[in-house]
Amino acid sequence: MKVELGYGKTTQIIDVPDQCFRGELHANHVDVALTGSEEVRRALLDPIGSAPLGDIVHPGEKIAVITSDITRPCPSFEILPPLLEELEADGISLEDITVVFALGSHRPHTEAEQRRLVGDAVFEKVRCIDGDVEDTVHLGVTKRGTPVDIVRPVAEADRRICLGNIEYHYFAGYSGGAKAIMPGSSTPKAIQMNHRFMVDAASYQSHLEGNPVREDIEEAAAMVGVDFILNVVLDEEKRIIKAVAGDVTAAHRVGCAFLDTLYKVEIEEKADIVVVSQGGAPKDLNLYQLQKALDNAKHAVKDGGIIILVGACEEGLGNANFERWMTGHKRPEDMIEHIQRDFQLGGHKAAAIAKVMGMADIYLVSELAPSFAASMFFKPYHSAQEALADALDEKGADASVLVMGHGGSVLPFAKRR
């Protein structure tokens, strides 16, 4: 069985022997009436847990629209035009609107990247800026001790509208909702304080109530004040098939429930070998982002199995501290011990990878130098087919193989180990 996998801006093809192939995990079928910008417009007219946007914003107010950075697949270029149309219809001048890219701990954008994210028309008529973590406003501390330090254009706006796409997050439960504020509009110190709760057993994919990371995020956002959200769910072709608008928590929960119907996929049993890709750019720009697919794949592989992680990583590892952790320990288990006594942002991703390495071997198919990948405890490849051939040699000609072509989205659940 030949399967095509997204890889950067290109693809890689693997040929899985028929006796081994246990299927490719795809989203479940759901019926949708509207897609794209039409679905966004529908959501704006049907807010959840909130008054209509026109009753919330007022002429003369400064509006901050917080949206995702280049490492996220959020289609801001498709969401923003209907939103701006609605704001203009409500009497808001475009001069009073600022689009703020929620960088979190990620690198700044180039102007060309900002333009690409929002589209030429929006970029030409609305101010678009990166959040600057060197210029923040302190708004307090959460009950768990996380400082609420927010980039100034967001903190000082009269109204805040948060955009985002909803997908599974390996310790915050789901992306979207209040995450545009924390970590999106927050400082590295604040993010580090929040993310340290990832080691809690209640911090995992698809879990919200009682998840300390998510609860801390939403407390911080409440202290800032989020007036309205507009979140979307994308299918495997990155089309908008669901939009939710309104209250930062209520609308988000409806979006999460829809995501579950789409991407929670039951499998008969775990496989000896799991081949997983993020689906290509931008989700596999670096190893920091590719890790999300790895964390979903761990639910589909047998203990002692092999995960073939496919992602171009054209920008390398994507985070300096993450790289220091990945290259600065003698064994994967040392990273887990280290994070438990000294939580560091960047190190948290390394520790998450190390946990998977404790249950399965990881073959990394990327553009990274083989010696560099090997220094981080991966078995390195440039070809997914070569990696699969070696995995089958290791596990046997009849080893079971599952493929996850959109590994950052699909969350498998096995009936049997």
Side-chain angles (χ1 to χ4, degrees), residues 6-8 71-72 170 276-297 307-314 316-318 322 349 353 356 362-368 378 404-409:
Y7 182 78
T71 66
R72 304 291 190 254
Y170 72 107
V276 60
S277 162
Q278 272 278 48
K283 290 186 175 185
D284 69 351
L285 277 175
N286 53 57
L287 187 61
Y288 197 83
Q289 297 303 322
L290 188 60
Q291 177 271 337
K292 296 175 183 177
L294 176 66
D295 219 76
N296 284 351
I307 297 175
I308 300 174
L309 180 61
V310 181
C313 299
E314 293 174 354
L317 269 64
F322 173 56
K349 287 263 188 176
I353 290 173
V356 182
I362 304 175
Y363 294 8
L364 177 63
V365 181
S366 73
E367 296 302 301
L368 299 176
F378 298 109
M404 297 173 61
H406 297 270
S409 299

XYZ file of all heavy atoms in Angstrom, residues 6-8 71-72 170 276-297 307-314 316-318 322 349 353 356 362-368 378 404-409:
425
model
N 2.816 14.340 3.870
C 3.294 15.701 3.776
C 4.664 15.829 4.420
O 4.924 15.273 5.489
N 5.536 16.606 3.755
C 6.920 16.754 4.222
C 7.404 18.121 3.784
O 7.752 18.313 2.627
C 7.783 15.645 3.614
C 9.228 15.637 4.051
C 9.598 15.125 5.294
C 10.229 16.117 3.224
C 10.920 15.098 5.695
C 11.568 16.091 3.613
C 11.901 15.581 4.852
O 13.221 15.545 5.238
N 7.382 19.089 4.714
C 7.694 20.458 4.323
C 6.700 20.913 3.265
O 5.491 20.717 3.389
N 3.800 29.477 13.108
C 3.938 28.063 13.438
C 2.591 27.361 13.553
O 2.550 26.142 13.736
C 4.709 27.877 14.759
O 3.930 28.398 15.840
C 6.069 28.575 14.701
N 1.512 28.098 13.465
C 0.171 27.527 13.615
C -0.550 27.525 12.262
O -0.337 28.413 11.432
C -0.650 28.345 14.606
C -0.007 28.495 15.979
C 0.008 27.177 16.726
N 0.395 27.361 18.109
C 1.566 27.024 18.631
N 2.491 26.482 17.849
N 1.840 27.208 19.911
N -0.998 18.632 23.735
C -0.547 17.489 24.521
C -0.532 17.713 26.026
O -0.475 16.754 26.788
C 0.805 16.985 24.026
C 1.999 17.861 24.323
C 2.932 17.502 25.293
C 2.231 19.021 23.594
C 4.047 18.292 25.543
C 3.345 19.804 23.836
C 4.244 19.433 24.812
O 5.353 20.215 25.048
N 4.274 8.557 11.305
C 3.487 9.751 11.588
C 4.127 10.983 10.974
O 5.329 11.190 11.042
C 3.290 9.940 13.116
C 4.623 10.086 13.834
C 2.376 11.111 13.421
N 3.268 11.796 10.347
C 3.674 13.076 9.769
C 2.748 14.154 10.302
O 1.605 13.874 10.681
C 3.576 13.019 8.235
O 3.564 14.311 7.661
N 3.234 15.392 10.339
C 2.373 16.517 10.701
C 1.538 16.981 9.513
O 0.713 17.868 9.658
C 3.221 17.699 11.198
C 3.526 17.679 12.693
C 2.386 18.238 13.528
O 1.228 17.877 13.347
N 2.712 19.102 14.455
N 1.772 16.435 8.347
C 1.039 16.859 7.161
C 1.779 17.908 6.352
O 1.241 18.456 5.394
N 3.030 18.198 6.731
C 3.823 19.174 5.989
C 3.795 20.549 6.616
O 3.343 20.742 7.750
N 4.308 21.520 5.853
C 4.417 22.905 6.337
C 3.018 23.501 6.563
O 2.072 23.147 5.855
C 5.192 23.741 5.327
N 2.826 24.404 7.571
C 3.881 24.919 8.458
C 4.102 24.112 9.712
O 4.921 24.459 10.542
C 3.329 26.298 8.822
C 1.842 26.067 8.910
C 1.521 25.086 7.798
N 3.375 23.001 9.861
C 3.405 22.275 11.124
C 4.710 21.531 11.362
O 4.972 21.090 12.479
C 2.240 21.298 11.198
C 0.869 21.951 11.344
C -0.184 20.894 11.567
C -1.549 21.499 11.846
N -2.561 20.471 12.175
N 5.524 21.346 10.316
C 6.795 20.645 10.524
C 7.994 21.542 10.229
O 9.057 21.075 9.839
C 6.860 19.362 9.697
C 6.951 19.602 8.195
O 6.788 20.770 7.762
O 7.200 18.633 7.451
N 7.811 22.862 10.440
C 8.919 23.797 10.225
C 10.117 23.456 11.093
O 11.266 23.653 10.694
C 8.474 25.229 10.531
C 7.741 26.007 9.440
C 7.291 27.352 9.994
C 8.625 26.201 8.228
N 9.853 22.967 12.300
C 10.938 22.656 13.218
C 10.521 21.505 14.127
O 9.347 21.122 14.200
C 11.342 23.887 14.037
C 10.161 24.544 14.734
O 9.450 23.910 15.498
N 9.933 25.829 14.453
N 11.498 20.954 14.811
C 11.239 19.814 15.683
C 10.362 20.200 16.866
O 9.592 19.377 17.380
C 12.568 19.231 16.174
C 12.497 17.935 16.977
C 11.893 16.809 16.145
C 13.880 17.536 17.491
N 10.455 21.439 17.296
C 9.652 21.942 18.404
C 8.162 21.753 18.103
O 7.384 21.371 18.989
C 9.976 23.413 18.619
C 9.555 24.004 19.933
C 10.343 23.857 21.075
C 8.384 24.757 20.048
C 9.969 24.434 22.287
C 8.012 25.325 21.252
C 8.805 25.158 22.372
O 8.435 25.730 23.568
N 7.761 22.025 16.863
C 6.365 21.860 16.470
C 6.038 20.412 16.103
O 4.932 19.925 16.366
C 6.042 22.783 15.290
C 6.172 24.260 15.620
C 5.296 24.693 16.781
O 4.172 24.220 16.920
N 5.818 25.555 17.625
N 6.996 19.718 15.519
C 6.779 18.336 15.094
C 6.494 17.420 16.282
O 5.834 16.392 16.144
C 8.011 17.853 14.325
C 7.935 16.495 13.626
C 6.825 16.470 12.583
C 9.273 16.165 12.981
N 6.963 17.817 17.444
C 6.762 17.009 18.640
C 5.293 16.698 18.907
O 4.960 15.652 19.459
C 7.384 17.740 19.840
C 7.194 17.051 21.179
C 5.912 17.473 21.887
O 5.378 18.565 21.621
N 5.410 16.631 22.764
N 4.394 17.587 18.483
C 2.970 17.369 18.740
C 2.462 16.099 18.063
O 1.651 15.362 18.626
C 2.172 18.575 18.270
C 2.478 19.850 19.032
C 1.754 21.040 18.436
C 2.119 22.324 19.158
N 1.480 23.508 18.553
N 2.941 15.848 16.854
C 2.538 14.634 16.150
C 3.084 13.402 16.856
O 2.410 12.367 16.957
C 3.027 14.681 14.703
N 4.303 13.514 17.339
C 4.911 12.402 18.077
C 4.082 12.065 19.304
O 3.861 10.888 19.622
C 6.338 12.772 18.469
C 7.089 11.768 19.336
C 7.344 10.485 18.566
C 8.414 12.362 19.832
N 3.616 13.070 20.006
C 2.888 12.816 21.241
C 1.541 12.148 20.976
O 1.071 11.350 21.793
C 2.697 14.119 22.023
C 2.871 13.903 23.516
O 4.023 13.775 23.960
O 1.844 13.838 24.224
N 0.906 12.447 19.844
C -0.319 11.731 19.494
C -0.018 10.302 19.066
O -0.761 9.370 19.378
C -1.056 12.474 18.377
C -1.783 13.701 18.878
O -1.898 13.933 20.074
N -2.281 14.512 17.959
N 1.089 10.118 18.344
C 1.435 8.788 17.846
C 1.723 7.803 18.964
O 1.537 6.587 18.794
C 2.647 8.887 16.915
N 8.332 4.320 16.297
C 7.617 5.439 15.686
C 8.534 6.061 14.644
O 9.666 6.437 14.954
C 7.219 6.500 16.727
C 6.242 5.918 17.749
C 6.584 7.716 16.036
C 5.894 6.858 18.891
N 8.060 6.144 13.411
C 8.794 6.832 12.342
C 8.201 8.225 12.226
O 7.066 8.404 11.765
C 8.701 6.066 11.017
C 9.290 4.660 11.183
C 9.436 6.827 9.910
C 9.123 3.771 9.953
N 8.935 9.219 12.689
C 8.475 10.599 12.761
C 8.962 11.353 11.527
O 10.168 11.510 11.327
C 9.001 11.246 14.034
C 8.630 12.699 14.320
C 7.122 12.861 14.450
C 9.330 13.182 15.590
N 8.027 11.796 10.696
C 8.354 12.373 9.393
C 8.055 13.868 9.392
O 6.896 14.279 9.520
C 7.559 11.674 8.270
C 7.921 12.249 6.911
C 7.798 10.165 8.302
N 9.071 14.694 9.273
C 8.892 16.145 9.234
C 10.167 16.831 8.796
O 11.256 16.525 9.292
N 10.067 17.770 7.863
C 11.255 18.344 7.233
C 12.163 19.081 8.223
O 13.388 19.036 8.105
C 10.840 19.291 6.109
N 11.571 19.798 9.192
C 12.364 20.584 10.161
C 13.333 21.520 9.447
O 14.522 21.598 9.781
C 13.125 19.670 11.124
S 12.087 18.602 12.126
N 12.809 22.264 8.459
C 13.660 23.134 7.658
C 14.277 24.259 8.477
O 15.311 24.811 8.106
C 12.855 23.709 6.487
C 12.455 22.646 5.474
C 11.544 23.187 4.385
O 11.138 24.362 4.488
O 11.244 22.440 3.440
N 15.277 23.765 11.600
C 16.014 23.133 12.678
C 15.133 22.751 13.839
O 14.045 22.214 13.669
N 15.594 23.076 15.042
C 14.853 22.675 16.231
C 13.810 23.707 16.641
O 12.817 23.370 17.277
C 15.811 22.393 17.395
C 16.271 20.930 17.482
C 17.085 20.542 16.257
C 17.074 20.693 18.740
N 14.030 24.984 16.318
C 13.001 25.991 16.529
C 13.033 26.704 17.856
O 12.273 27.653 18.065
N 15.338 24.459 23.940
C 14.962 23.100 23.535
C 16.178 22.377 22.960
O 16.453 21.216 23.294
C 13.829 23.198 22.513
C 13.425 21.902 21.861
C 13.043 20.805 22.616
C 13.390 21.800 20.472
C 12.644 19.622 22.005
C 12.995 20.632 19.860
C 12.619 19.539 20.625
N 9.524 20.464 26.198
C 9.325 19.691 24.964
C 10.315 18.532 24.895
O 9.988 17.425 24.457
C 9.513 20.601 23.755
C 8.379 21.577 23.517
C 7.413 21.035 22.487
C 6.392 22.082 22.090
N 5.500 21.619 21.021
N 9.463 14.482 24.644
C 10.039 13.551 23.666
C 10.729 12.396 24.381
O 10.608 11.229 23.987
C 11.017 14.298 22.736
C 10.245 15.241 21.809
C 11.855 13.312 21.912
C 11.119 16.146 20.955
N 8.417 9.629 25.393
C 8.056 8.728 24.297
C 9.210 7.788 23.986
O 9.007 6.603 23.694
C 7.638 9.524 23.048
C 7.218 8.580 21.925
C 6.505 10.486 23.374
N 12.486 5.910 18.164
C 12.011 6.943 17.248
C 12.982 7.085 16.090
O 14.156 7.417 16.287
C 11.840 8.298 17.963
C 10.907 8.161 19.172
C 11.278 9.343 16.988
C 10.772 9.431 19.997
N 12.494 6.814 14.890
C 13.248 7.035 13.661
C 12.808 8.388 13.113
O 11.625 8.579 12.820
C 12.952 5.955 12.623
C 13.413 4.551 12.974
C 13.912 4.224 14.237
C 13.319 3.519 12.033
C 14.323 2.936 14.540
C 13.730 2.228 12.320
C 14.220 1.938 13.574
O 14.624 0.648 13.872
N 13.727 9.318 12.990
C 13.393 10.677 12.562
C 13.773 10.884 11.103
O 14.947 10.803 10.735
C 14.111 11.703 13.430
C 13.899 13.170 13.052
C 12.422 13.568 13.189
C 14.771 14.084 13.911
N 12.753 11.172 10.275
C 12.964 11.472 8.857
C 12.867 12.985 8.713
O 11.796 13.571 8.864
C 11.915 10.784 7.976
C 12.169 11.093 6.501
C 11.917 9.277 8.219
N 14.008 13.628 8.413
C 14.039 15.085 8.388
C 15.183 15.573 7.517
O 15.943 14.772 6.952
C 14.212 15.636 9.809
O 15.540 15.431 10.263
N 15.312 16.900 7.445
C 16.439 17.515 6.746
C 17.597 17.813 7.702
O 18.600 18.397 7.284
C 15.980 18.815 6.064
C 14.944 18.603 4.973
C 15.446 17.670 3.877
O 16.470 18.000 3.253
O 14.823 16.603 3.685
N 17.479 17.423 8.946
C 18.568 17.613 9.895
C 19.756 16.734 9.522
O 19.587 15.630 8.991
C 18.112 17.277 11.312
C 16.960 18.101 11.894
C 16.577 17.568 13.267
C 17.330 19.571 11.968
N 17.733 10.091 18.317
C 16.915 9.600 17.214
C 17.760 8.702 16.305
O 18.982 8.859 16.230
C 16.387 10.760 16.358
C 15.489 11.714 17.078
C 15.912 12.998 17.398
C 14.195 11.346 17.435
C 15.087 13.898 18.046
C 13.360 12.228 18.089
C 13.801 13.509 18.403
N -0.194 7.661 10.262
C -0.920 8.855 10.693
C -0.414 10.024 9.849
O 0.614 10.620 10.158
C -0.701 9.109 12.181
C -1.228 7.999 13.083
S -0.791 8.220 14.848
C -1.600 9.779 15.220
N -1.127 10.333 8.780
C -0.684 11.369 7.859
C -0.891 12.781 8.370
O -0.293 13.721 7.855
N -1.740 12.929 9.376
C -1.986 14.234 9.999
C -1.905 14.043 11.509
O -2.873 14.240 12.243
C -3.338 14.798 9.573
C -3.420 15.070 8.099
N -3.059 16.285 7.557
C -3.786 14.276 7.064
C -3.215 16.230 6.236
N -3.650 15.027 5.920
N -0.712 13.689 11.948
C -0.533 13.222 13.313
C -0.785 14.263 14.379
O -1.083 13.909 15.522
N -0.660 15.536 14.054
C -0.927 16.559 15.044
C -2.399 16.744 15.326
O -2.775 17.366 16.323
N -3.246 16.187 14.462
C -4.691 16.360 14.599
C -5.389 15.121 15.143
O -6.218 15.203 16.046
C -5.299 16.719 13.234
O -4.760 17.922 12.734
